Amino acid sequence: YYWIIQHKNELKRKSSGSTFPEIGKSEIVKINVYRPEKNEQQKIAACLSSLDGVIAAHTQKLELLKAHKKGLMQNLFPQKGEKVPKYRFKEFEKDGEWAINEFENYIKLYRGSSPRPIQDYLTQDINGVNWIKIGDTKNAVNSVIHQVEEKITRKGAEKSRTVKKGELILANSMSFGKTYELSIDGCIYDGWFVLREFEKHFDKSFLLHLLNSEYMQSQYKRLSAGGIVQNISSEIVYKTKLFHTSKNEQQKIAACLSYIDALITAQAEKMEQLKLHKKGLMQGLFPKM
């Protein structure tokens, strides 16, 4: 296995074929292979296998933390047909039922827009405006978007929807229904809604968790079912039902879930460090070709 990793570049170089590169037996047998004594092989293998075991254990821990958060969200928010959550912090046990009302009574949606043709407004200028797309969510951490792949000109920004750091945006196409917080300023195209005028009713962190809960996601899917293209309009979002409780209880729930998010982030970073450590070990334990 480790021999394959060490020689993958050599294998690629000798392979042929543009669509499905392949390498024949005659080429493989000509590749030079380093071979230490069995005792040294076993020592190296034991070292790397031990590290693999540590990585596997931390991977399992990460999955358990994610499952724990999912379970917490199911219990800290009321479920369909219920008016109180299964778990409630002691100081709020006598506060009565949560309110429930349509989205439009709590929050206003503003759709993004795109200057067209977009190619005329993209720029490599460092002073360009961040162009926030659905694809940028792949690097989001705990539903927070920190960076983008493209920028647009100031003129393009005038034809788009400007959003500020700290605002919440909701995807209405592709991975529709997911809500993200921005840690950057920028502009959004029409694949996003920006959520505004909710501060009177909701703590922002609580709202972010609530909108990404299974309770809300199932509503989006049900209301958008039957369409040729899977997306959600402002009319669909406005018809969804939101639970509402006091700001103090919202903040307590948000703090709990944010703490779990921090543990998940720390665990994911630890795994990345372990993987980098393994990569460095392999480079140091095997001779360079």
Side-chain angles (χ1 to χ4, degrees), residues 139-233:
N139 294 318
V141 178
N142 291 329
S143 299
V144 179
I145 296 175
H146 297 277
Q147 60 187 43
V148 297
E149 294 182 347
E150 295 180 329
K151 294 178 181 287
I152 58 172
T153 62
R154 297 288 173 181
K155 186 176 180 181
E158 293 173 3
K159 300 175 183 290
S160 183
R161 172 79 65 183
T162 299
V163 288
K164 298 295 184 181
K165 178 180 178 180
E167 290 201 286
L168 302 182
I169 56 175
L170 187 155
N172 61 55
S173 62
M174 295 174 69
S175 57
F176 70 88
K178 293 293 185 181
T179 301
Y180 297 86
E181 182 178 351
L182 297 172
S183 70
I184 53 174
D185 296 336
C187 286
I188 55 171
Y189 72 145
D190 49 13
W192 292 109
F193 294 122
V194 58
L195 283 58
R196 289 173 177 163
E197 302 172 49
F198 59 80
E199 290 82 3
K200 177 182 176 181
H201 305 287
F202 287 104
D203 171 81
K204 182 173 65 177
S205 182
F206 172 87
L207 180 60
L208 179 61
H209 287 296
L210 175 61
L211 293 177
N212 285 328
S213 67
E214 182 57 35
Y215 170 78
M216 289 301 299
Q217 297 302 308
S218 62
Q219 289 189 71
Y220 296 139
K221 291 175 184 177
R222 176 174 56 82
L223 291 170
S224 65
I228 296 174
V229 179
Q230 286 289 288
N231 55 32
I232 49 175
S233 63

Side-chain angles (χ1 to χ4, degrees), residues 54-66 267 271:
V54 174
I55 292 172
H58 280 282
T59 300
Q60 184 180 23
K61 183 178 179 180
L62 179 62
E63 293 306 311
L64 288 171
L65 282 169
K66 290 179 178 179
Q267 185 63 24
M271 283 181 55

